[in-house]
Amino acid sequence: MEYLLIALVVTLTSLGQVLQKLGADRGLKQAVSFRQTVAALFQWEIMLAVICLASAVAVWLVVLYMMDVSKAFPFISLGFVVVLLSARFYLQESIPWNRWLGVVFIVAGISLLAQS
């Protein structure tokens, strides 16, 4: 159950990051004044990102109640993997080889931690 909740936290935080990127690209690209910049903060992508991130915090508190922080926290780094994959395949960003290598190290580290 704990690992399902951690997966939910990773999913919500990753989705929040991608939504922030989409909102920033759409809203700030046209903003030329302070007023337009502030208005960009209230786009649906940004608002949904805030909801995702706040929900992730609530679920994370449940995870921390259920398991040691020293075991739970490293799994949050899977968010880097999910965001990188989303950036590559959804946002069509170019990802250099050294970031892919970083993903390999993250996955290897999480695999080691999961065995303890």
Side-chain angles (χ1 to χ4, degrees):
M1 179 64 156
E2 296 95 352
Y3 294 107
L4 286 174
L5 292 175
I6 289 173
L8 181 58
V9 170
V10 169
T11 301
L12 287 169
T13 56
S14 300
L15 181 59
Q17 295 302 315
V18 171
L19 286 166
Q20 286 180 78
K21 170 64 174 165
L22 292 172
D25 282 351
R26 188 169 70 87
L28 296 178
K29 192 178 292 186
Q30 303 117 345
V32 293
S33 68
F34 178 74
R35 185 176 183 176
Q36 290 173 326
T37 301
V38 171
L41 297 175
F42 295 96
Q43 298 178 93
W44 73 267
E45 295 99 333
I46 302 298
M47 299 306 290
L48 188 54
V50 169
I51 291 168
C52 287
L53 295 170
S55 299
V57 169
V59 176
W60 181 245
L61 291 174
V62 174
V63 170
L64 292 178
Y65 172 75
M66 297 172 78
M67 49 187 318
D68 293 340
V69 70
S70 62
K71 185 167 186 176
F73 188 72
F75 286 93
I76 296 301
S77 63
L78 288 173
F80 291 107
V81 177
V82 174
V83 170
L84 183 132
L85 291 170
S86 298
R88 173 62 188 101
F89 296 109
Y90 180 69
L91 300 174
Q92 304 298 311
E93 293 181 5
S94 176
I95 309 295
W97 69 269
N98 56 337
R99 288 190 205 152
W100 289 112
L101 183 60
V103 163
V104 170
F105 285 126
I106 289 169
V107 171
I110 294 299
S111 298
L112 288 172
L113 286 167
Q115 294 173 9
S116 63

